[in-house]
Amino acid sequence: MSGGQEFPGTWKPNQGSTVPLFEQLRLNIIERADSGTLAPGTRLPAVRSLAAALGVAPHTVARAYKELEAAGVVATRGRHGTIVCARDEAWTSLTAAAAEFATAAKAQGASFAEAVQLLAAAYDAE
């Protein structure tokens, strides 16, 4: 698959953001997987090469990949690399709801940490 060569394209994490770099990368990959820009089966760059391309530490990329794998967004296939997994309709719906929540939280002036606290409280209340 040639998707690995195209990713990350011109995207770079915002070094001045309060959102951690690994989280920016994680969210970018989720957004691209959900939109189809990163099709299922696309091989992502190796940790070290992506870290070099983005100007971040390899640990940053490794953490993003690890969290994406735990969420089922990607799968690590050893020497075959990290591959984007197919997404289902329920996940797409949850992604849309999360985007709405993020937009509302930002509009109300909530920080990322405050938004996460609200989400965690709502999740635990159910």
Side-chain angles (χ1 to χ4, degrees):
M1 304 263 161
S2 62
Q5 296 171 340
E6 299 158 8
F7 181 80
T10 59
W11 181 83
K12 298 274 188 201
N14 178 352
Q15 301 281 347
S17 174
T18 58
V19 178
L21 298 175
F22 81 89
E23 182 69 4
Q24 292 180 48
L25 176 58
R26 188 185 74 80
L27 293 171
N28 183 274
I29 291 173
I30 289 171
E31 181 181 305
R32 290 179 186 215
D34 286 346
S35 71
T37 305
L38 284 174
T42 300
R43 184 175 178 201
L44 295 177
V47 169
R48 289 181 190 260
S49 63
L50 183 56
L54 296 177
V56 300
H59 174 75
T60 300
V61 176
R63 181 167 177 190
Y65 279 12
K66 181 179 177 182
E67 292 197 11
L68 288 164
E69 185 168 24
V73 178
V74 301
T76 301
R77 307 260 193 250
R79 291 184 173 250
H80 298 290
T82 301
I83 310 296
V84 176
C85 296
R87 310 286 281 186
D88 65 13
E89 201 171 298
W91 189 258
T92 301
S93 175
L94 281 173
T95 300
E100 278 185 50
F101 173 71
T103 299
K106 285 179 186 178
Q108 295 293 321
S111 70
F112 177 76
E114 291 167 334
V116 169
Q117 287 176 339
L118 290 170
L119 180 59
Y123 195 87
D124 289 343
E126 292 299 315

